[in-house]
Amino acid sequence: MNFKATKASLVVREGWEKGEDGRLKGCKVANGATVISHMFFADDSYVYCRANNREASNILHLLQLFEIASGQQVNFSKSSVFFSTNVPNATRDRLCGILRMRLADEHSTYLGLPCVMGRNKDAILGFLKDKMQKRIQGWEGRILSTAGHEVLIKTVAQALPSFAMSMFLLPLKTCSHLESLMSKY
């Protein structure tokens, strides 16, 4: 049988809503919103559950059923677990052991964007500033006409934050800093 490796990320939190069959709990993102138990992105999956042994075992059973049904195999070395801030460290360690997955840190990224956004979005989205600054510094030694500079700015520098802007509302401070970098060049 041919297996294709996939990765799974688990988001584990305390105090979530009861699922229909009681095996997994889902996440309510806002009052009155529907409960989310999973999200699928191409080869990646996010599964939401409560931070307890029973649901961790249910996740493993779910992943085994997925492997049998799809012919794909979960790559546990690429998989990770996110916890809400109110889950104790001992519980985190125990559940990561049960799931055979590593704990995702606050710097984890998915498709080049941060997985976890805190209150200070300007600090988290600082990677955009660094990325643009490195790109522009790479152009410093090139002898280009004014038109050449303009083409680089319009085709490369302005395109760098586009994907992040499709996912997140960028703070004005971040936008101002990016504009400043481009105008200095």
Side-chain angles (χ1 to χ4, degrees):
M1 183 179 287
N2 188 11
F3 282 105
K4 181 180 177 201
T6 63
K7 73 177 183 184
S9 293
L10 299 179
V11 181
V12 183
R13 301 188 182 235
E14 287 291 337
W16 285 13
E17 299 298 314
K18 182 175 172 102
E20 287 180 23
D21 63 359
R23 291 186 185 175
L24 293 178
K25 311 291 189 247
C27 168
K28 246 185 160 175
V29 295
N31 287 334
T34 45
V35 175
I36 299 171
S37 62
H38 60 280
M39 295 189 301
F40 299 125
F41 305 99
D43 287 350
D44 299 331
S45 309
Y46 281 79
V47 181
Y48 298 88
C49 67
R50 294 191 72 177
N52 61 44
N53 291 358
R54 192 183 107 241
E55 291 204 24
S57 297
N58 288 339
I59 292 285
L60 285 178
H61 181 69
L62 175 75
L63 294 176
Q64 289 169 348
L65 289 174
F66 168 79
E67 289 179 347
I68 292 166
S70 69
Q72 296 181 331
Q73 186 175 10
V74 175
N75 188 339
F76 286 95
S77 65
K78 289 184 177 180
S79 299
S80 57
V81 184
F82 294 91
F83 290 94
S84 67
T85 55
N86 59 342
V87 177
N89 287 336
T91 304
R92 293 175 189 220
D93 294 339
R94 186 179 74 247
L95 294 177
C96 283
I98 290 170
L99 294 166
R100 302 184 317 265
M101 295 181 191
R102 65 181 171 77
L103 175 66
D105 63 5
E106 65 273 1
H107 302 294
S108 296
T109 61
Y110 179 69
L111 298 177
L113 296 176
C115 291
V116 180
M117 293 292 284
R119 292 190 184 273
N120 188 354
K121 290 176 181 42
D122 190 53
I124 293 170
L125 294 171
F127 76 94
L128 288 173
K129 298 174 199 173
D130 296 339
K131 197 180 217 181
M132 185 174 291
Q133 194 162 15
K134 287 177 187 174
R135 186 64 58 101
I136 289 173
Q137 283 175 348
W139 301 335
E140 293 293 329
R142 296 185 180 179
I143 301 171
L144 297 170
S145 65
T146 305
H149 285 273
E150 186 176 347
V151 167
L152 280 176
I153 290 294
K154 286 185 176 177
T155 59
V156 179
Q158 288 180 345
L160 281 174
S162 294
F163 181 60
M165 291 170 73
S166 71
M167 302 294 155
F168 304 112
L169 183 61
L170 296 184
L172 287 175
K173 188 175 177 183
T174 302
C175 293
S176 298
H177 190 80
L178 295 175
E179 288 176 359
S180 170
L181 288 172
M182 289 186 280
S183 64
K184 285 179 186 173
Y185 179 71

